[in-house]
Amino acid sequence: MFDLKSIRNRLIHVSRCRGVTRKTIRKILLLDPALSNIYRLTPLEISKTYSIPHNNASLFHIDLHDLSLQEQLTKDLMMCEIITIVDDNYPRVLNTIKDSPLVLYAIGNISLLSIQPALSVIGTRKSSNEAFTKTKILVEPLVNDNWVIVSGMAKGIDSFAHITALNNNGKTIAVLGGGFSHIYPKQNIPLFNQIAKKGLVLSEYPPHTPPKRFHFPERNRIISGLSFGTLVIEATEKSGTLITVDQALDQGREVYAVPGSPLIPQTKGCHRMIQDGAKLVLDAQDIKEDWDTVRNNYISWV
């Protein structure tokens, strides 16, 4: 049975309960730092104390006392490691972002979370014929210089970034939009297995959680948050990639964009970003030089 004696274990447990959001859990932590009193409250007391609807409070109360949920946690700990916001090995860089994840599930080399520089490399799922070559030219020199490449293991650019790192015996972190038992897209299951073995796979969703549409914008804040900067290889004008870019800017991270032919839709988002102030990147050296400029401020900041 999952042991609820420690604060971190109670936080993992509470984070899995229905009826509460991350915002509510933060409120609970403020009023009940040890997360011990919450288990003694009735649904009505939970509703009044934390200003949540009674139906939500009832669901939350049911799950707090559901032994099967604790049994599932015990099983999940055999599949992966769990890092919480109260742990010493929680990534410092994520403490600087809004709505930082309370719990992270991990398979692979957790030490990658403490290595800098880390760069997120992202782009459209529907990439151009040139996309893999562009990714390789820009990412390979960084990998060979021991940089950590962070992405979301989606089709297209994300996959190219991870593959380039793996092909060069480099370091890579994949942040998923679902649990480890529901890899999406399914065609990337072999890639998931490779990253789990040679790099690190992260998710803030428990292993049995299937991916949902709103999970992907949520996980993007972690992708950008783990990195000092975000490199966009390709993006259409209305690409979901731009959500990550907005989050990176909001987090005070650097944003880089690769120009390309104006004749293909996959470059229009990058061109728009450059017009709006993203740094134009022609080769890996551009990013290396920028890191040399910002590294001291970034490292002291995080």
Side-chain angles (χ1 to χ4, degrees), residues 132 158-168 172 191 194-195:
F132 183 77
D158 287 25
S159 294
F160 299 160
H162 293 305
I163 290 167
T164 300
L166 292 168
N167 286 350
N168 290 274
T172 191
L191 179 58
Q194 274 190 286
I195 299 172

Side-chain angles (χ1 to χ4, degrees), residues 122 224 230 232 240-250 255 273 278:
I122 60 173
S224 57
T230 293
V232 183
T241 299
L242 303 182
I243 296 173
T244 312
V245 170
D246 288 341
Q247 289 171 332
L249 291 170
D250 190 51
V255 175
M273 287 167 51

